[in-house]
């Protein structure tokens, strides 16, 4: 059994969905996404949590150019595959209250995007990684441009320019590594340390710019709030819950191991940019009255902390980043779904017009509170263990930076709890007094998300165990290379 099943199943599903009509389209898309989840769980059941790469496919693709279809799963990529396959069914189920024109195309693009994401997280060939990167980006362009808000065209063009520029930097870095690799191929391990010490600085910079745009990290973030706000809710969930993890994953898998000395040279700058992003995004979030936009800025702050933990480059920081990628994906999808429900009920996302919803929608209020507490990293929720490990990892590198990075928890608690208070507490008004409680698919989606938040928070060890050996091996290998070269 190879990882090719996980990669190609969503492609086949995307083509099959085009054959369905009317209401059956969303049911077919949900069915195929659940099948993909079941397959991923089968892989998980057979996965041995050591440092090896498993379920490998290695087939010639364009061998004359050193390009092979090589993909596999280790502990790091396994968590990302699980995140993708868990969230996509929830995102599709969250669309059940929406009616889309050309629904066939919409759901086919979602499934095709899932294939690109899985390819990114499992690729062991640099060219294949780039193909997956672009294959995941193209569907979201169309989802945002065709089903987004009033300003979708202008915002999508901005998004395209940013991501295209980032992809170009990454492609230049990959080609340079290929030209300097001893075997003249794009194999992951051949590309590691294939360039001499003097050129690693520019290789790392090319990769970092590409991945910083995708995460995003200050000052490459300006496309994100507008895109998240104008995209349809499902598109926003795909972007925030899964797609931004491509940049974080790329930093761990490609940028740092491929150019470790370049990483050391640019690490301070990258950490400072991440820290600035935490503070900057948090301050901007304080001033937001649009709930969806507030969550978008909070996402920048959380990703800044994840990036800081990775750039500290120790086991706790990277392990914290791994579990926090899962936690952030679950929480942010839940939070954007909360605002999708509110905007559908009230036809507004203006926090200042709301209040008292908890009195008329207790189930909705409970789910909203659990997701909010997970987002602010309350102990015994999924957000706590990741942020604890991240700050611990940053602390090992620099005490002062750890103190500043920890502001994301304090700031986040203030603006998220204040948001909850203004929306859910107080007295109802003419707008909120008829707010209907959650039902049907809404209850299922929020129920699963809340269960994941609590279960991961109470017992995170199985998740940490999956990636532990792979993270230890990668961190130690890169650290040894840096030490021996200095």
């Amino acid at each position: 059994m190879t990882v090719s099943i996980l990669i190609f199943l969503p492609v086949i599903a995307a083509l099959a969905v085009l054959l369905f009509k009317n209401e059956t389209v969303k049911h077919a898309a949900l069915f195929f996404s659940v099948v993909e989840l079941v397959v991923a769980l089968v892989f998980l059941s057979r996965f041995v949590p050591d440092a090896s790469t498993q379920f490998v496919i290695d087939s010639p693709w364009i061998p004359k150019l050193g390009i092979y279809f090589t993909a596999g799963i280790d502990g790091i990529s396994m968590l990302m595959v699980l995140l993708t396959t868990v969230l996509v069914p929830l995102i599709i189920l969250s669309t059940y209250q929406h009616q889309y024109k050309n629904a066939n195309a919409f759901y086919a693009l979602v499934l095709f995007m899932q294939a690109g994401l899985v390819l990114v997280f499992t690729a062991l060939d640099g060219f294949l990684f780039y193909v997956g990167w672009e294959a995941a980006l193209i569907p979201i362009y169309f989802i945002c441009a065709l089903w987004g808000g009033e300003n979708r065209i202008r915002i999508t063009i901005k998004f395209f320019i940013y991501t295209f520029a980032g992809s170009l930097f990454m492609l230049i870095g990959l080609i340079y590594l290929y030209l300097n690799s001893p075997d003249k191929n794009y194999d992951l391990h051949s590309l590691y340390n294939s360039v001499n010490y003097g050129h690693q600085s520019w290789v790392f910079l090319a990769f970092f710019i590409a991945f910083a745009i995708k995460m995003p990290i200050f000052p490459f973030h300006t496309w994100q709030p507008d895109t998240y706000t104008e995209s349809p809710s499902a598109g926003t969930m795909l972007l925030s819950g899964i797609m931004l993890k491509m940049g974080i994953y790329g930093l761990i898998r490609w940028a740092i191991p491929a150019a470790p000395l370049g990483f050391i040279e640019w690490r301070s700058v990258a950490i400072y940019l991440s820290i600035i992003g935490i503070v900057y995004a948090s301050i901007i979030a304080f001033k937001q009255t649009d709930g969806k936009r507030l969550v978008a800025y909070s996402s920048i702050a959380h990703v800044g902390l994840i990036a800081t933990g990775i750039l500290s480059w120790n086991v706790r920081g990277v392990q914290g980043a791994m579990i926090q990628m899962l936690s952030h994906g679950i929480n942010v999808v839940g939070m954007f779904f909360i605002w999708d429900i509110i905007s559908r009920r009230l036809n507004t996302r203006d926090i200042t017009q709301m209040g008292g919803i908890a009195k008329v929608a207790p189930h909705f209020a409970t789910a909203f509170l659990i997701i909010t507490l997970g987002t602010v990293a309350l102990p015994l929720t999924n957000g706590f263990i990741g942020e604890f490990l991240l700050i611990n990892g940053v602390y090992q590198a620099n005490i002062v930076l750890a103190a500043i990075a920890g502001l994301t928890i304090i700031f986040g608690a203030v603006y998220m709890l204040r948001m909850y208070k203004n929306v859910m507490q107080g007295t109802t008004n003419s707008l909120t007094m008829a707010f209907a409680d959650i039902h049907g698919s809404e209850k299922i989606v929020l129920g699963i998300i809340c269960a994941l938040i609590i279960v991961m928070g109470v017992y995170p060890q199985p998740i940490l165990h999956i990636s532990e050996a792979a993270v230890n091996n990668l961190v130690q290998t890169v650290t040894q290379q840096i030490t021996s070269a200095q």
Side-chain angles (χ1 to χ4, degrees), residues 67-387:
I67 299 172
Y68 294 81
F69 197 99
T70 308
I73 296 177
D74 68 354
I76 296 172
S77 51
M78 175 56 80
L79 291 185
M80 295 297 95
V81 169
L82 289 175
L83 176 69
T84 304
T85 54
V86 167
L87 288 185
V88 169
L90 291 176
I91 292 170
I92 291 175
L93 188 57
S94 75
T95 66
Y96 267 45
Q97 304 299 322
H98 290 270
Q99 297 296 327
Y100 298 104
K101 292 182 179 180
N102 301 315
N104 306 61
F106 178 85
Y107 289 106
L109 287 170
V110 171
L111 291 169
F112 188 77
M113 182 179 172
Q114 183 181 29
L117 291 164
V118 172
L119 184 56
V120 166
F121 295 137
T122 59
L124 299 175
D125 179 275
F127 189 83
L128 188 64
F129 175 79
Y130 181 78
V131 170
W133 185 275
E134 295 301 318
L137 288 174
I138 293 170
I140 199 65
Y141 292 145
F142 287 104
I143 289 172
C144 296
L146 297 177
W147 292 278
E150 294 180 1
N151 299 317
R152 62 186 183 276
I153 301 302
R154 176 179 62 84
I155 299 304
T156 303
I157 290 174
K158 182 178 180 180
F159 175 44
F160 174 82
I161 292 171
Y162 265 87
T163 52
F164 180 77
S167 298
L168 184 60
F169 276 106
M170 181 173 65
L171 181 60
I172 292 171
L174 285 170
I175 292 174
Y176 188 81
L177 289 174
Y178 162 76
L179 294 174
N180 288 273
S181 67
D183 302 321
K184 285 297 181 288
N185 60 40
Y186 287 91
D187 179 74
L188 175 70
H189 299 289
S190 294
L191 298 185
Y192 283 179
N193 285 313
S194 62
V195 294
N196 60 48
Y197 299 147
H199 295 161
Q200 285 195 19
S201 174
W202 301 109
V203 171
F204 176 80
L205 185 61
F207 277 114
F208 178 74
I209 291 174
F211 300 145
I213 289 172
K214 181 52 57 191
M215 286 190 261
I217 291 176
F218 179 91
F220 307 101
H221 69 286
T222 57
W223 64 268
Q224 190 251 43
D226 291 335
T227 305
Y228 280 20
T229 303
E230 291 296 322
S231 297
S233 294
T236 305
M237 294 178 198
L238 288 166
L239 280 166
S240 60
I242 312 173
M243 180 164 278
L244 72 79
K245 310 306 185 299
M246 295 193 332
I248 303 171
Y249 177 83
L251 191 63
I252 297 172
R253 177 72 76 196
W254 293 92
I256 295 175
L261 295 184
F263 160 60
I264 292 299
E265 185 172 341
W266 287 101
R267 177 164 65 171
S268 296
V269 174
I271 288 178
Y272 290 142
L273 291 178
S274 301
I275 294 292
I276 291 171
I278 292 172
V279 179
Y280 168 82
S282 297
I283 292 173
I284 299 298
F286 277 119
K287 300 182 178 180
Q288 298 304 309
T289 57
D290 183 314
K292 195 174 182 182
R293 200 170 182 85
L294 185 153
V295 177
Y297 277 106
S298 76
S299 180
I300 296 176
H302 283 93
V303 170
L305 178 59
I306 294 173
T308 306
I310 294 170
L311 294 166
S312 300
W313 202 248
N314 51 59
V315 172
R316 290 191 179 183
V318 179
Q319 272 286 71
M322 294 307 306
I323 192 169
Q324 193 63 9
M325 279 195 278
L326 284 176
S327 299
H328 176 268
I330 293 166
N331 294 341
V332 79
V333 164
M335 192 58 71
F336 278 122
F337 187 48
I338 288 289
W339 279 103
D340 176 58
I341 293 172
I342 292 174
S343 61
R344 279 190 286 109
R345 301 276 204 278
L346 305 180
N347 293 315
T348 183
R349 296 191 300 264
D350 189 344
I351 296 172
T352 62
Q353 297 182 30
M354 302 176 195
I357 293 178
K359 294 181 178 179
V360 294
H363 295 119
F364 177 71
T366 302
F368 193 174
L369 180 61
I370 292 173
I371 296 170
T372 300
L373 295 178
T375 303
V376 303
L378 185 78
L380 299 182
T381 65
N382 62 348
F384 174 75
I385 186 64
E387 295 207 355

Side-chain angles (χ1 to χ4, degrees), residues 443-461:
K443 266 191 176 181
I444 296 173
V445 173
L446 291 178
I448 293 173
I449 289 173
C450 290
L452 290 172
I453 289 172
I454 295 171
V455 171
M456 287 177 60
V458 172
Y459 191 48
Q461 181 55 37

